Amino acid sequence: MSRIEGLRGVPETLLIPLAARALAHRRHPRMRFRDREAERIAEEVQVDFDRYAADGRSVRGVIARSRWFDRVCLEFLARHPEPTFVSLGSGLNTMYERLRSAAEGRRFRWIDSDLPEVVSLRRTIFPDDSLRTTIELDLADPNVFDRVDVAESRALMLVAEGLVMYLSPEAAVAVFRDAARCFAAARALCFAFDYASPSMVARSRQHAALRKIKDDSVAFQWGLPRAKDLAAIDLRWTVLEESSAPMTCAGPLPAAIEAVHRILTGRRFYACALLERVAASRDSQGETPGSP
Ligand SMILES: C[S@@+](CC[C@H](N)C(=O)[O-])C[C@H]1O[C@@H](n2cnc3c(N)ncnc32)[C@H](O)[C@@H]1O
């Protein structure tokens, strides 16, 4: 039995972005994204491309999303000496390897995390080294960040690619609230993530890639109308940038859906967002009264 055959439920979704990144160079060379490690790993674990990468729009969307995450991580690294990155719901993502090859020798620490069964699989593929460690972290657990050991003096960036929409609304809100609280002492704090609008969440089982997941109860659970609504969870978060590239680069139909949704609602259908923890003056205000 191949190592990935036992993946069931939400962990199986990690095969969708892995397949997309592994195929990027061959299928969409004009998108200028090549991930040799993903190519190697997809071959090693024998990913079924016909199943997980059958939908070209989803593949292009993942490539655009991964390019966005790579860029914001690289920019954070350029701004802060020896930062730490904490990747949540890492799946078999190769973001660490890509950042390392683009970092031109600049040092950083990297922590990969996911559910226990995914971490067991990851450990058979990605060896930890002096700069990268892998830990089990179920974001549905209360006070989950208390278990993340980061030096307080460092700049810290959390990355969550293709993750928060799978969390319950309570768990998702807790992630943003607890991150601001637990890492309050970090010299700088950013959080890069992608989010689905409530309209997208309502239609998630129609998503071509998600329909390939064996367990048909797997669906998006948490929708966020606007990234700036996170200030209602914790006033310390402010939005530095947002991008609809995973929609606009995915093809004419996703681009049209994004445009029409924006016209009708004034909001994004699906987007990547970068949050920054604002300076101490607002920090003292902490959580908003009555925040969940
Ligand atoms: C679509 S995959 C994305 C994987 C990876 N970030 C990538 O871009 O390749 C979603 C990931 O979220 C993880 N995940 C879902 N719920 C989680 C939870 N409660 N705690 C931690 N990870 C979770 C899954 O195990 C899976 O690896």
Side-chain angles (χ1 to χ4, degrees):
M1 176 164 136
S2 114
R3 276 179 285 173
I4 55 173
E5 259 169 52
L7 288 174
R8 285 285 179 278
V10 176
E12 189 190 347
T13 64
L14 67 84
L15 298 172
I16 301 168
L18 173 65
R21 288 188 284 261
L23 281 182
H25 176 66
R26 199 165 4 129
R27 229 190 241 176
H28 302 289
R30 287 201 302 200
M31 291 189 81
R32 295 175 182 275
F33 180 90
R34 178 151 205 188
D35 187 332
R36 291 176 198 274
E37 273 297 286
E39 290 168 19
R40 180 186 70 75
I41 291 158
E43 194 179 335
E44 189 181 321
V45 300
Q46 298 172 334
V47 168
D48 180 352
F49 290 111
D50 292 338
R51 182 177 192 105
Y52 299 106
D55 179 54
R57 291 186 286 252
S58 162
V59 170
R60 285 192 296 270
V62 170
I63 297 168
R65 185 177 82 187
S66 295
R67 278 196 325 210
W68 182 87
F69 275 89
D70 286 1
R71 176 180 61 75
V72 295
C73 285
L74 208 50
E75 287 174 2
F76 191 76
L77 185 57
R79 285 200 303 274
H80 302 284
E82 303 205 12
T84 297
F85 294 87
V86 179
S87 167
L88 307 172
S90 296
L92 293 182
N93 202 347
T94 38
M95 209 188 291
Y96 169 72
E97 284 74 11
R98 294 196 304 275
L99 188 58
R100 206 158 123 165
S101 71
E104 297 175 335
R106 275 166 292 169
R107 283 172 63 85
F108 60 93
R109 239 192 101 201
W110 187 275
I111 299 174
D112 272 309
S113 71
D114 208 304
L115 298 169
E117 62 265 44
V118 178
V119 166
S120 301
L121 172 65
R122 255 197 97 83
R123 287 200 172 119
T124 68
I125 295 167
F126 299 92
D128 283 355
D129 56 33
S130 58
L131 298 174
R132 185 253 291 277
T133 45
T134 309
I135 60 171
E136 292 177 2
L137 221 55
D138 182 347
L139 296 165
D141 287 347
N143 303 319
V144 69
F145 293 126
D146 291 346
R147 301 210 304 274
V148 180
D149 181 19
V150 290
E152 289 188 347
S153 57
R154 292 196 186 221
L156 179 67
M157 181 156 179
L158 297 156
V159 290
E161 180 175 356
L163 167 73
V164 296
M165 59 290 282
Y166 292 106
L167 301 177
S168 69
E170 298 73 27
V173 164
V175 163
F176 289 97
R177 187 190 56 219
D178 293 352
R181 176 182 60 79
C182 281
F183 304 123
R187 191 188 304 156
L189 181 63
C190 280
F191 197 147
F193 66 105
D194 52 308
Y195 69 93
S197 61
S199 324
M200 188 182 192
V201 170
R203 292 164 183 80
S204 76
R205 277 311 299 182
Q206 292 159 29
H207 193 292
L210 218 50
R211 282 207 303 264
K212 303 287 180 180
I213 298 299
K214 292 169 210 126
D215 177 348
D216 60 18
S217 69
V218 173
F220 295 164
Q221 297 191 61
W222 185 58
L224 179 66
R226 297 168 306 182
K228 70 178 183 188
D229 295 338
L230 289 169
I233 292 171
D234 193 300
L235 275 177
R236 284 169 282 205
W237 289 125
T238 186
V239 181
L240 271 192
E241 72 160 86
E242 279 193 85
S243 168
S244 297
M247 293 296 285
T248 55
C249 299
L253 182 62
I257 291 172
E258 181 65 30
V260 170
H261 191 266
R262 280 281 272 282
I263 290 166
L264 295 179
T265 67
R267 296 163 186 187
R268 296 171 197 262
F269 186 71
Y270 170 63
C272 296
L274 178 63
L275 306 182
E276 184 180 46
R277 189 262 324 266
V278 291
S281 53
R282 282 184 73 191
D283 208 46
S284 55
Q285 297 170 40
E287 293 166 22
T288 36
S291 63

